[in-house]
Amino acid sequence: INSFSSIMETFHEAKVLAAAYHALPIPGDLVQAMYVWIDGSDENLRCKSRTLDFEPKSASELPIWNFDGSSTGQAEGSNADTYIKPVAVFGDPFRMGKNKLVMCETYNFEMKP
């Protein structure tokens, strides 16, 4: 069992490591958009990111994306394509800068909710 001091030391090391990555320069013409949706459990969040060469101002500017819904409990093995459609865009408080969090709705392979 870890003592409180070792937990705090681990937390501090992780914070220092994260700060080093946050300090890396990001090319000014690129934006990371993290698509976020609720998975098949209706309790957990899922996400995946893409790099854009523009800063989106609204969800309508972003493309619909897809993933294998069988891995998230949102589809069965056959016809497992699940689509994530952007519905809202917010500044990313974790990655900061021009990066975005993109809240999404999910649709099955027939583009039905």
Side-chain angles (χ1 to χ4, degrees):
I1 298 176
N2 287 333
S3 69
F4 180 74
S5 62
S6 66
I7 291 171
M8 291 306 295
E9 182 179 325
T10 301
F11 175 75
H12 175 72
E13 290 170 0
K15 191 173 179 181
V16 169
L17 182 62
Y21 281 100
H22 281 278
L24 291 172
I26 298 172
D29 58 340
L30 297 178
V31 173
Q32 293 178 353
M34 180 181 289
Y35 284 47
V36 181
W37 68 96
I38 299 171
D39 73 7
S41 72
D42 288 333
E43 296 178 4
N44 299 314
L45 294 177
R46 299 289 181 133
C47 64
K48 66 187 222 175
S49 296
R50 70 186 314 151
T51 302
L52 305 170
D53 59 2
F54 67 97
E55 182 179 359
K57 303 294 183 203
S58 70
S60 63
E61 296 177 62
L62 293 163
I64 293 175
W65 207 2
N66 72 316
F67 65 95
D68 180 348
S70 65
S71 64
T72 63
Q74 292 173 280
E76 296 189 17
S78 63
N79 295 324
D81 279 344
T82 304
Y83 296 91
I84 44 180
K85 179 183 178 188
V87 294
V89 178
F90 301 95
D92 188 333
F94 306 104
R95 294 180 180 172
M96 299 178 280
K98 296 188 291 183
N99 299 310
K100 304 296 180 189
L101 291 179
V102 182
M103 303 300 113
C104 299
E105 294 177 338
T106 58
Y107 294 86
N108 68 14
F109 70 98
E110 295 176 319
M111 291 302 290
K112 295 180 182 175

